[in-house]
Structure formats: C-alpha cells, structure tokens
Amino acid sequence: MTRPHVFLVAAERSGDLLGAGLARELRELTGGEIRLSGIGGSAMADEGIVSQTSIDGLNILGWIDGLKAYKRVKQAVAEAVAAIVAAKPDSVVLIDSWGFTLRVARGVREADPSIRLVKYVGPQVFATRPGRAATLAATVDELLTILSFDAPFYAPHGLPVTFVGNPTLERLPTGDGPAFRSRHGIEAEETVLVVLLGSRPSEIRRMTGPFVAGLTRLKAAHPDLRLVMPVADPVADQVDAQIARHPVLAEAVRVAEDEKADAFAAADLALACSGTVVTELATAGVPTVTSYKLGWITWSLVRAFNLLKTPHISLVNIAADARIIPEVIQLSCTGANLAREVDALVTDKPRRDAISERLRAVTETLRGTGQASRRAAEAVLAGLSR
C-alpha cells in the first residue's frame, strides 16, 4: 500500500509552529507510515520537513506592506505551487497566512484539481471581511478551525468545518518562574514586566517608538520595575537592533524563545504587541496590556470601509465579549497611554489577580477538548480516505 503524502505550507512563525505540531501527530498516528514534505521555517525543519522554498519576507500584514512585498510574494507563490504540483501529494494543508496560502491554493487548484486542499486556521471573518468565507469555500475542500465559533460563518457556503481546538493553548509548557528569577538575578519580591515588541519586522518598526516612550515613563515612576524581553528567533536581529538603540530596552533581561515559558511564569504582568503571544500570556494567566498599530493608509482603509466588525482585537476579549485585557490601538497607541494602562496594573495587585483568574477561565473554554494538533492530524487523515 502506498504511503499517503501530505504537503504542509506555512509562511510565518505561528504557522510554522502549528505545522510542526501537526507533523508530529501525523507521524505518530500513522506509525511513521506517511510521507511529509512542505514549506515552512525552523520548527518544521526540526520535524524533518526541509522547506521546498524560503519563507523569508512573507511575514507581512496589511495592504501597504503587502504591496511593498508584492514581487517577493508573487515569486514565493509560484515557487510553492511548482513544488506542490511536482510533488503531487494527496493533500496540501495550508496553514494560516491568509493572503499567501489563498494564492497558493488557487494556483494548485488550477494546475491539479485532484489534489485535496485543507485550510488550517481560517481568516477571522467574525472580526473583518466576512466575504472571505465564501472565497475560502470556493477554493479549498475543508477548513480546520481553532475557534469554536467559526463554523456558522462558513455553513451557508457549504464548506466542511472541523473544530480542532487551539494548539497555542497547549503548546506553551508550564514554566518555572522561581528558577527563571534565580538564573537572571531577579528577587522574589521584585515586579517583573514582560515586554514583547512583536513577531513581524513591520510590527517591531511601528511598536518600538510607543513602547520605548511608555517604558521610559514607567521606569521613571517605578525604578525597581524589572523588564524581561523574550525574543522570537525569526526577528531576533531586528529586536536586538532596537535594544542597542534604546537604553530602556538595554536594561531589560533579554532571553531567547526557549526561555519564554519560564519568563511568563516569572511575570507579574506584560506589555505585548497584539498577536498569538497574547493568547499564550493569557493561558499562563499573565495580566497583559496589548497594543497594535497598522500603517496609516491601511488603517484609513479599514475605517473608510468599516472593515473591523468587532470591538476587540484580542482573541481572549473576543471570546469573552469583554475587555479583560486592556487594548491600546492605533491613534491611542502612545507612550503616555501605554504607561497609564500598565501603571494601573503595577499598582493594583488585587486587579492583576482577578484578571489572571479570568484569563485562565477564558482560555480553558478556548482550548476545546485538548490535543488540538492530534485532532487536526486525525481530520487530515480522515480527509484522505474520503
């Protein structure tokens, strides 16, 4: 019997991590009797999937950044489609990264309609651009969603949807806070603020200014506040450049991604660019102030066409339909506003404790039945038999 062949496609760090978890479970469920290939980053490479093309330069967000990277994206799409068609897998799993994976899906569908296409993590149609549900339904064979409330948006368009749960809520191991503090000379009574600038180069460019301004104010008000900066591997060079440029960042304990769980366990609170990491912080029960800025032209288009359909940007706030995590976005994203929101948490431990408890409760409901990567792998294998 021929081993099934599954091709995984991820274009940025969060998708790369999802792909790695999926690959592990596919191998375990089949006893290794499966062929895996794909396009991804270092996490998938650690699982033995050597990327068929580079994903450098694809970690982008927004129309303007997309236009700037158009040639690179167009080239990467062509390379990805060519690699998939040449490999002729039984199934392609397209992970997150809406713009890139949609173009790849369309290219593969046109070149070889016999290849099954599975989208893993759908576009956030509940928050913006609901028309994408119909677009996706016309392009792929199945959606594996990490959100329990996604399915009704796709049902009218006839797209089969399988809720697998959110692997992000399971991926981060329980950290050792006391050990982290001991390693880095942080006393038990000191207040630790974890700072995360973002996982995309564009985010680091936009968020560093207001973050630095806010942190400078906070350190002036609370000189003993200890800053900790876990840095994602793909953007380490960009973050390190900002650390070298700004004294308040240079004061921080800078750690690599492998210490993230321990850093979160040691944290009293966090200031983070909005994204997957905010959900990870919520899972660890870390009270967080989150922030985000789009490019001005992109933001103007969002406002002009009323594309933002939810009052919140953080998944935990959306799921709870409440502002558990303070959000400081766009025009409000200034050093003064960030400092004020963080300061309110620094000086109010009972509030931090209450937020921590609510965050753990909300993320527990988002987790689903657990073993999300395994459920995703089971769905992929079930699709192969249909």
Side-chain angles (χ1 to χ4, degrees), residues 231-318:
V231 179
D233 297 337
V235 291
D237 291 345
Q238 290 92 335
V239 174
D240 287 342
Q242 299 299 339
I243 290 173
R245 191 172 295 129
H246 299 288
V248 71
L249 299 182
E251 291 181 29
V253 177
R254 190 269 197 218
V255 297
E257 206 164 9
D258 60 357
E259 285 197 80
K260 183 168 67 174
D262 286 349
F264 288 4
D268 295 288
L269 69 165
L271 173 62
C273 175
S274 180
T276 301
V277 74
V278 175
T279 308
E280 292 179 333
L281 286 161
T283 305
V286 181
T288 300
V289 173
T290 190
S291 183
Y292 207 82
K293 287 182 74 173
L294 290 168
W296 290 112
I297 295 177
T298 300
W299 176 249
S300 298
L301 291 171
V302 168
R303 293 295 299 274
F305 292 98
N306 192 30
L307 296 179
L308 191 62
K309 305 298 183 183
T310 173
H312 313 294
I313 63 170
S314 301
L315 180 57
V316 288
N317 287 346
I318 292 169

Side-chain angles (χ1 to χ4, degrees), residues 119-386:
K119 187 73 174 73
Y120 185 13
V121 184
Q124 293 186 342
V125 293
F126 57 84
T128 181
R129 303 181 74 175
R132 288 178 170 180
T135 300
L136 188 63
T139 309
V140 304
D141 298 295
E142 183 179 7
L143 169 64
L144 309 182
T145 177
I146 64 173
L147 302 175
S148 60
F149 47 81
D150 256 348
F153 292 93
Y154 296 93
H157 308 289
L159 180 65
V161 177
T162 301
F163 169 56
V164 299
N166 193 335
T168 299
L169 306 181
E170 304 166 9
R171 185 168 63 225
L172 195 70
T174 301
D176 190 334
F180 181 91
R181 286 175 177 253
S182 177
R183 280 198 305 274
H184 297 287
I186 302 172
E187 299 296 331
E189 67 275 8
E190 290 184 284
T191 301
V192 170
L193 171 66
V194 167
V195 179
L196 298 124
L197 288 175
S199 61
R200 296 180 173 94
S202 61
E203 292 171 345
I204 293 161
R205 288 196 306 271
R206 293 190 185 112
M207 303 310 298
T208 296
F211 271 41
V212 165
L215 292 171
T216 300
R217 287 172 175 258
L218 284 166
K219 287 292 289 184
H222 307 282
D224 295 334
L225 185 66
R226 296 298 300 271
L227 307 182
V228 171
M229 291 185 67
V231 179
D233 297 337
V235 291
D237 291 345
Q238 290 92 335
V239 174
D240 287 342
Q242 299 299 339
I243 290 173
R245 191 172 295 129
H246 299 288
V248 71
L249 299 182
E251 291 181 29
V253 177
R254 190 269 197 218
V255 297
E257 206 164 9
D258 60 357
E259 285 197 80
K260 183 168 67 174
D262 286 349
F264 288 4
D268 295 288
L269 69 165
L271 173 62
C273 175
S274 180
T276 301
V277 74
V278 175
T279 308
E280 292 179 333
L281 286 161
T283 305
V286 181
T288 300
V289 173
T290 190
S291 183
Y292 207 82
K293 287 182 74 173
L294 290 168
W296 290 112
I297 295 177
T298 300
W299 176 249
S300 298
L301 291 171
V302 168
R303 293 295 299 274
F305 292 98
N306 192 30
L307 296 179
L308 191 62
K309 305 298 183 183
T310 173
H312 313 294
I313 63 170
S314 301
L315 180 57
V316 288
N317 287 346
I318 292 169
D321 194 22
R323 189 61 62 91
I324 302 174
I325 292 176
E327 298 177 350
V328 185
I329 64 171
Q330 210 59 30
L331 295 175
S332 297
C333 181
T334 66
N337 288 338
L338 291 173
R340 184 179 64 253
E341 292 289 353
V342 175
D343 184 75
L345 292 177
V346 170
T347 57
D348 191 345
K349 188 177 186 304
R351 183 186 172 201
R352 294 204 308 267
D353 292 342
I355 290 174
S356 179
E357 184 175 343
R358 289 195 70 189
L359 291 175
R360 292 181 190 277
V362 171
T363 53
E364 185 66 30
T365 64
L366 286 170
R367 185 175 286 113
T369 59
Q371 295 187 308
S373 292
R374 174 157 292 232
R375 286 163 61 86
E378 289 171 345
V380 171
L381 294 174
L384 291 174
S385 66
R386 286 198 291 269

